Amino acid sequence: MKSAAMRATTDNTVDELLTLICHHLQITDLQQTQAETRYQAIGRALDAPRSPLFGHGPGLYPQGSLKLGTTVKPLAREEFDLDLVCELETDARRFPHPPQLITSIAIYLNSLPAYVGKVRTKNRCVRIIYADQFHMDLLPACQDPSNGGTHLLVPDRDSHGWKPSNPRGYAKWFESRCSYTPRLVEGKSEPIPPKEPVVLKPTLKLATQLLKRWRDLKYAERKRVAPISIVLTTLAGLHFNGQDSVSAALVEILDRIIGEFPASNFRMVVLNPVNQAEDLSEKWDENPEAYREFTKGLMELRQQLHEIAKPQPLDLLCKKLSGVFGEDVSKTAVTRFGRDLEQSRSSGNLYVQRHSGTLSTLAAAGAVTRVHPHTFYGG
């Protein structure tokens, strides 16, 4: 029998390894608990009598990657970000100078012992930094009466006014692209969604996590030109074609994005799917180098993924995965895959997942077919 490192891989092997990489990119249970504790504390502080939001009915809910289930563990010595919306039950006209709303929230929080020295103002939000853990970006918002529904108005310091936004609408769109209906959470202040087990995640969420990890690694030393998360997430959602295979989904997403690159004199425009008036990629106008790096990087990644998908010895596959997603998570995934595969085969506890066709040692909700013990790779 061949050693685990020399056995030829299959499509299922690649998908299982990519899924295991996503498992190791998850935030830890401790980080999840800490984030929930901080989140609840901020909610109480913003609704306290001294708060500039007192009487305006502030209600918090997550947006961005934590809401979508695409959070990626940051590289060493970095913090993961938690994006929160603070929706007010008041007319935006009560705040004729929207940027002042950001400033007043920051001043108030910085006056509280728990937040002294941790507060920063950004263009549209207030950032609270928990060193070596995570930071929370708090986005104040009011309902947009012109558009209704889940549409919001958010302050924008650059324009000195209000800008349209719709984070709930975006989350609903992304979930629809994942081919299942999101669970609605009732209540004024929504809790952080529970951490979703990787084996139950839709393919699109796994593909998005992997794209973001590639971005973090490739541009670790050049963050100025790194594509922002909302652009990667939107492009992945727009070009996902319902594949069960994570590797096939990634390759087709990249093929379709690259196929839509315009002529060299123009740049790609990525519009918000729930607000066609918003250009999510507008920063490329200010930083054309970032757009050039984006197109070059995606073409390189597509070639790397085609190489990863080829049948090859497991040790060579690990080397290629390391070059794209990082040596630490790739080696950990390959080691766990080899160990669990041998153990599960010998005990008869290997399953094929319904949602992806990949192998798993977990008899989760999606695991329907038991794989009987035999020599998986042959030879």
Side-chain angles (χ1 to χ4, degrees), residues 70-328:
T70 60
T71 299
V72 172
K73 185 188 299 182
L75 300 177
R77 298 183 300 279
E78 294 185 6
E79 307 152 344
F80 77 87
D81 63 302
L82 171 61
D83 297 316
L84 303 175
V85 176
C86 180
E87 186 172 338
L88 308 178
E89 296 176 352
T90 191
D91 194 311
R93 290 172 295 185
R94 297 279 297 274
F95 302 97
H97 304 290
Q100 183 58 39
L101 180 59
I102 296 174
T103 303
S104 61
I105 294 173
I107 292 173
Y108 164 67
L109 289 175
N110 204 43
S111 72
L112 303 178
Y115 305 109
V116 172
K118 299 178 181 178
V119 183
R120 307 286 186 274
T121 56
K122 309 293 286 184
N123 181 41
R124 295 189 179 184
C125 67
V126 175
R127 174 167 292 179
I128 305 169
I129 301 172
Y130 301 90
D132 301 322
Q133 298 178 50
F134 49 83
H135 61 256
M136 290 187 175
D137 285 343
L138 183 69
L139 176 71
C142 298
Q143 291 186 359
D144 182 353
S146 299
N147 293 303
T150 57
H151 289 270
L152 301 175
L153 295 172
V154 300
D156 185 85
R157 294 163 67 90
D158 288 345
S159 66
H160 304 286
W162 293 100
K163 285 289 187 76
S165 185
N166 191 357
R168 274 178 165 155
Y170 185 91
K172 186 176 181 180
W173 168 80
F174 188 78
E175 294 289 0
S176 72
R177 296 296 296 151
C178 293
S179 299
Y180 75 93
T181 303
R183 182 182 63 192
L184 299 179
V185 182
E186 301 296 334
K188 182 177 176 182
S189 292
E190 298 181 5
I192 292 174
K195 193 170 68 173
E196 193 172 21
V198 167
V199 294
L200 301 181
K201 277 193 176 183
T203 306
L204 175 56
K205 293 189 179 184
L206 299 177
T208 303
Q209 285 183 292
L210 292 168
L211 283 173
K212 291 166 67 175
R213 173 64 174 196
W214 161 79
R215 181 270 317 273
D216 291 347
L217 194 67
K218 182 172 181 60
Y219 301 100
E221 305 300 326
R222 298 179 298 152
K223 293 183 179 179
R224 181 176 174 275
V225 298
I228 60 176
S229 292
I230 189 68
V231 167
L232 288 179
T233 302
T234 302
L235 287 172
L238 288 171
H239 294 287
F240 175 62
N241 201 28
Q243 295 91 347
D244 289 330
S245 162
V246 182
S247 58
L250 272 173
V251 169
E252 181 157 352
I253 286 169
L254 291 173
D255 284 345
R256 294 177 67 172
I257 294 173
I258 292 170
E260 292 192 359
F261 283 167
S264 57
N265 293 333
F266 302 92
R267 70 163 175 87
M268 170 176 279
V269 176
V270 184
L271 300 179
N272 188 331
V274 296
N275 178 14
Q276 293 291 300
E278 182 181 8
D279 179 5
L280 300 174
S281 55
E282 63 183 1
K283 290 185 178 180
W284 282 334
D285 290 332
E286 306 167 5
N287 188 3
E289 180 189 0
Y291 179 67
R292 290 192 296 270
E293 286 293 331
F294 168 75
T295 58
K296 178 183 176 182
L298 285 199
M299 287 189 285
E300 290 176 353
L301 176 60
R302 177 176 63 173
Q303 181 59 38
Q304 289 172 308
L305 290 175
H306 279 292
E307 291 296 319
I308 286 171
K310 293 178 180 178
Q312 58 198 293
L314 196 57
D315 55 351
L316 180 58
L317 174 59
C318 180
K319 183 177 180 180
K320 292 178 180 178
L321 289 171
S322 297
V324 178
F325 304 113
E327 183 177 6
D328 53 347

